[in-house]
Amino acid sequence: MGGDLAGPVPGEEHDFALWEKRVDALVILSGLKGVFTVDGLRRVLEDMGPEAFETMTYYERWVAALNQNHLERGTYTVAELGAKMEEVRARGATYGEAADAT
């Protein structure tokens, strides 16, 4: 959490997973499209509370904040999101399974 003592910041490089790179891209594109501002993203992140910072990874928090901003903007509804998630879930748990389903 901002302002809390957390010790030194690790200096080693981090190899980002594909989904993390995609989240980063979605945040950048959503910002460029005017879905939210940096302040809007930060507001949602800060509203999550300390439990989110203790249980979620950095990019999991970004996904949640990105989603909340899109819902608030009216980009899609909760029902539309749920339907899309079910569609994706039906494709399979891995990229290989999803490719086999197409």
Side-chain angles (χ1 to χ4, degrees):
M1 293 280 298
D4 289 346
L5 294 178
V9 175
E12 66 272 1
E13 291 294 319
H14 173 76
D15 188 21
F16 295 98
L18 179 59
W19 75 271
E20 293 172 321
K21 293 175 183 178
R22 289 179 174 169
V23 170
D24 190 63
L26 285 170
V27 168
I28 291 168
L29 291 171
S30 295
L32 290 172
K33 290 291 186 179
V35 174
F36 56 83
T37 64
V38 172
D39 293 334
L41 186 66
R42 184 172 184 90
R43 175 192 52 84
V44 174
L45 287 166
E46 291 176 352
D47 286 349
M48 289 180 188
E51 63 282 351
F53 283 82
E54 295 168 4
T55 61
M56 299 170 78
T57 68
Y58 181 80
Y59 280 104
E60 287 172 338
R61 292 190 302 267
W62 269 34
V63 166
L66 178 66
N67 181 56
Q68 184 61 36
N69 275 279
H70 274 280
L71 288 169
E72 289 175 5
R73 174 74 186 265
T75 307
Y76 50 78
T77 66
V78 172
E80 290 169 330
L81 175 62
K84 180 55 80 172
M85 289 174 69
E86 186 54 41
E87 178 186 319
V88 170
R89 185 177 294 114
R91 294 180 197 162
T94 67
Y95 286 127
E97 290 176 16
D100 292 342
T102 58

